[in-house]
């Protein structure tokens, strides 16, 4: 199949970028989207041009490295799918495909389609952990009985791969889905409950500090999340935040 | 946004309950409505509630404007190509636009009746109360402007309906009350509330226009 790609090219963080059109020919439907970009990059390198920079790592849909805003949607048109797991059969021969980086003040473009997502790392550093004693007499986590329902909910929240599609999809560039998934996966379990109040306050404070927008419950994040993280996590985070600020210690 | 929004939903219920009296016709209906209007503008408890309502409207609007501004600032560079309808409803993304329509409506609506009742010189009915009933009826049945006002009121209620369809259920999410189980309940109550209240309000000017 043949496609016209309209790709965001930006030399570096300080340069002004622009959309550049590329024609790609003889693309196999079995290729993944990133393999299609690999083909284009090989051609660009052979012609002496700068290849298109984009993030990728595992190419198995589990690491959260790949991004790309494809035809107006993060990770492209397929639901519950990362860009690396998106295949060219999802596109029509002759189609024009727009490829842009995540757009958010908190995710500045480094180059072309790569953005700096270290804001997420700083939010995790602010409280997305449990302070477990590892001095040698650590209790086996399985020794603590946990209701199946809580374990399942915590696990569902923990499937967040931190790719940032929620921020990219949200019209407010809000990171609430990501932060709430991280808050939820810990606060639902006994090991995480101990530090729940400090955690939610610190993580929300860091999130605001990074310049992400606020949640207006449009549901775009949930619809575009490759792991299907639900909006209920955002409500849980709001609940925990209210609890931690209005009646701390209860 | 959620606290003032839900308070304003309560106001809508009260306001609608009172205004449903406009479906009544005849001399007695006019007297009853005018007595009600006098009560609503003089009773001290109602006065406290009305100041709370003015405050809520202003707070909700100003907070909304600030929210739109900060959310826009969170994405300084727009996408060249976006497909938002793939993941969200139009009204959920345009609460500011819908809210602005409602705010303009409130200003027009208050100048139509609230201002006239408080500061205008009105004729009095046989019970000695200001005859707001006749003001309302003649406003919507006016030969030149009546139909235009009816259409504007219906349009504003449609905007309010779409605003409420998103706002009502979302308020409960902001309060942290949304769970996998409650989400459906809030959504259903919200949809029923939005549609019933908006249609009932819109029906008042339409009914007056068609029957008087």
């Amino acid at each position: 199949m043949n496609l016209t790609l309209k790709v965001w090219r930006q030399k570096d963080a300080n340069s002004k970028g622009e959309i550049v059109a590329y024609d790609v020919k003889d693309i196999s439907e079995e290729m993944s989207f990133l393999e299609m970009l690999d083909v284009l990059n090989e051609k660009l390198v052979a012609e002496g041009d700068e290849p298109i920079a984009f993030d990728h790592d595992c190419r198995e849909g589990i690491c959260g490295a790949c991004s790309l805003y494809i035809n107006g949607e993060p990770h492209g048109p397929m639901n519950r799918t990362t860009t690396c797991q998106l295949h060219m059969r999802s596109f029509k021969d002759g189609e024009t495909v727009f490829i842009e980086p995540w757009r958010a003040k908190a995710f500045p473009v480094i180059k072309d389609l790569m953005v700096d997502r270290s804001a997420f790392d700083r939010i995790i550093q602010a409280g997305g952990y449990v302070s477990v004693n590892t001095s040698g007499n650590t209790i086996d986590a399985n020794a603590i009985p946990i209701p199946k329902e809580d374990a399942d909910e915590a696990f569902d929240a923990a499937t967040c791969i931190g790719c940032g599609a929620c921020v990219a999809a949200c019209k407010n560039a809000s990171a609430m889905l990501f932060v709430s998934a991280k808050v939820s996966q810990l606060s639902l379990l006994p090991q995480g409950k101990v530090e729940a109040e400090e955690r939610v306050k610190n993580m929300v404070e860091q999130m605001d500090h990074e310049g992400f927008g606020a949640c207006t419950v449009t549901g775009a994040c949930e619809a575009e999340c490759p792991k299907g993280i639900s909006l209920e996590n955002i409500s849980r985070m709001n609940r925990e935040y209210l609890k931690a600020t209005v009646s701390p210690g209860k | 946004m959620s606290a003032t929004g839900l308070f304003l939903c309560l106001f809508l219920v009260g306001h609608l309950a009172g205004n449903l009296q406009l479906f009544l016709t005849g001399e007695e209906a006019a007297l009853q409505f005018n007595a009600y209007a006098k009560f609503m503008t003089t009773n001290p408890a109602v006065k406290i509630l009305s100041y709370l309502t003015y405050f809520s409207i202003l707070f909700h609007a100003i907070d909304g404007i600030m929210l739109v501004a900060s959310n826009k600032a969170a994405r300084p560079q727009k996408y060249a190509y976006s497909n938002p309808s793939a993941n969200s409803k139009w009204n959920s993304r345009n609460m500011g636009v819908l809210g602005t329509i409602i705010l303009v409506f409130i200003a027009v609506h208050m100048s139509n009746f609230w201002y006239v009742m408080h500061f205008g010189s009105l004729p009095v009915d046989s019970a000695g109360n200001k005859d707001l009933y006749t003001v309302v009826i003649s406003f919507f049945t006016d030969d030149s402007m009546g139909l235009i006002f009816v259409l504007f009121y219906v349009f504003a209620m449609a905007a309010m309906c779409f605003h409420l369809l998103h706002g009502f259920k979302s308020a409960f999410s902001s309060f942290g009350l949304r769970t996998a189980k409650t989400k459906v309940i809030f959504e259903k109550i919200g949809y029923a509330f939005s549609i019933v209240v908006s249609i009932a309000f819109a029906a008042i000017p339409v009914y007056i226009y068609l029957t008087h």
Side-chain angles (χ1 to χ4, degrees):
Chain A
M1 60 198 293
N2 302 325
L3 297 166
T4 302
L5 304 182
K6 299 217 166 177
V7 185
W8 182 262
R9 300 302 309 261
Q10 186 172 335
K11 194 163 161 260
D12 53 44
N14 301 318
S15 305
K16 199 169 170 287
E18 58 175 352
I19 295 275
V20 177
Y22 297 96
D23 287 323
V24 285
K25 294 191 188 338
D26 301 324
I27 294 297
S28 157
E29 291 192 341
E30 271 70 53
M31 275 182 188
S32 78
F33 197 83
L34 297 185
E35 284 167 342
M36 182 274 295
L37 285 178
D38 292 338
V39 169
L40 171 61
N41 272 346
E42 279 176 15
K43 185 172 158 255
L44 290 175
V45 170
E47 290 167 355
D49 289 333
E50 187 79 6
I52 300 162
F54 60 89
D55 273 316
H56 61 107
D57 190 14
C58 76
R59 299 208 179 192
E60 290 181 336
I62 53 171
C63 77
C66 64
S67 54
L68 305 187
Y69 198 78
I70 303 162
N71 270 356
E73 285 183 82
H75 294 299
M78 285 274 283
N79 284 342
R80 302 274 171 106
T81 307
T82 53
T83 294
C84 64
Q85 296 294 294
L86 177 69
H87 288 80
M88 295 316 294
R89 52 182 163 272
S90 297
F91 299 88
K92 287 191 286 284
D93 185 34
E95 196 173 338
T96 299
V97 182
F98 278 82
I99 311 171
E100 296 174 76
W102 287 173
R103 294 289 186 201
K105 187 180 164 213
F107 286 166
V109 173
I110 300 168
K111 182 178 179 160
D112 296 336
L113 302 169
M114 290 174 80
V115 297
D116 178 359
R117 283 174 280 185
S118 59
F120 272 12
D121 299 337
R122 290 187 291 275
I123 292 171
I124 296 295
Q125 284 161 13
Y129 50 80
V130 283
S131 307
V132 178
N133 186 348
T134 53
S135 61
N137 47 3
T138 323
I139 302 165
D140 189 311
N142 290 320
I144 307 167
I146 296 165
K148 173 91 168 76
E149 208 174 295
D150 292 356
D152 285 350
E153 272 191 84
F155 187 82
D156 283 348
T159 57
C160 165
I161 53 175
C163 64
C166 44
V167 175
C170 176
K171 77 177 191 60
N172 310 325
S174 169
M176 291 279 276
L177 196 68
F178 165 76
V179 181
S180 69
K182 300 302 170 193
V183 162
S184 292
Q185 73 178 50
L186 298 172
S187 73
L188 280 161
L189 301 177
Q191 296 92 329
K193 280 209 168 78
V194 188
E195 295 163 302
E197 285 188 1
E198 282 310 300
R199 175 183 307 118
V200 72
K201 281 200 287 189
N202 292 341
M203 289 179 81
V204 167
E205 190 186 332
Q206 188 64 35
M207 172 183 80
D208 291 341
H209 177 73
E210 297 289 348
F212 292 106
C215 175
T216 52
V217 208
T218 67
C221 54
E222 181 186 55
E224 296 292 357
C225 174
K227 297 297 161 186
I229 304 294
S230 75
L231 277 184
E232 280 72 73
N233 290 297
I234 294 183
S235 194
R236 182 183 295 110
M237 181 166 82
N238 287 336
R239 184 160 69 239
E240 296 223 347
Y241 187 82
L242 274 175
K243 229 163 46 184
T245 45
V246 176
S247 64
K250 278 187 187 165
Chain B
M1 293 305 288
S2 44
T4 47
L6 285 180
F7 177 76
L8 290 171
C9 284
L10 279 178
F11 157 75
L12 287 179
V13 174
H15 192 51
L16 178 64
N19 283 8
L20 284 178
Q21 295 173 81
L22 289 165
F23 280 112
L24 305 173
T25 45
E27 172 73 20
E28 208 170 307
L31 288 174
Q32 181 188 319
F33 184 81
N34 291 338
Y36 163 76
K38 187 186 175 188
F39 171 78
M40 292 306 281
T41 44
T42 50
N43 183 282
V46 176
K47 270 203 165 154
I48 293 170
L49 276 179
S50 63
Y51 286 125
L52 257 176
T53 308
Y54 306 147
F55 169 79
S56 292
I57 292 168
L58 286 176
F59 186 93
H60 198 74
I62 293 167
D63 200 25
I65 291 165
M66 282 162 53
L67 189 64
V68 168
S70 68
N71 284 344
K72 279 205 186 300
R75 173 164 297 138
Q77 167 104 42
K78 301 261 177 298
Y79 290 108
Y81 182 92
S82 214
N83 184 18
S85 58
N87 54 39
S88 52
K89 294 202 169 86
W90 181 87
N91 60 328
S92 76
R93 299 190 306 271
N94 290 280
M95 291 296 275
V97 175
L98 294 167
T100 306
I101 296 171
I102 298 166
L103 192 64
V104 169
F105 167 77
I106 291 171
V108 173
H109 182 51
M110 283 179 83
S111 76
N112 293 153
F113 304 119
W114 179 89
Y115 180 85
V116 176
M117 182 68 190
H118 282 81
F119 307 108
S121 53
L122 285 184
V124 290
D125 61 18
S126 55
N129 294 322
K130 287 182 177 177
D131 193 4
L132 188 65
Y133 184 87
T134 308
V135 172
V136 174
I137 303 297
S138 50
F139 178 78
F140 288 118
T141 51
D142 185 80
D143 282 341
S144 56
M145 290 298 284
L147 183 61
I148 291 166
F149 278 122
V150 170
L151 291 176
F152 174 66
Y153 271 57
V154 171
F155 169 73
M157 289 305 100
M160 187 180 80
C161 186
F162 283 105
H163 194 81
L164 288 173
L165 283 174
H166 178 70
F168 189 94
K169 62 172 184 180
S170 300
F172 292 95
S173 180
S174 301
F175 276 135
L177 296 170
R178 175 181 167 137
T179 64
K181 283 179 193 136
T182 61
K183 135 181 127 168
V184 189
I185 301 169
F186 292 136
E187 212 164 77
K188 282 187 177 161
I189 295 174
Y191 284 1
F193 177 85
S194 315
I195 294 167
V196 169
V197 167
S198 305
I199 289 183
F201 269 122
I204 296 169
V206 174
Y207 175 82
I208 292 172
Y209 182 79
L210 294 177
T211 57
H212 287 269

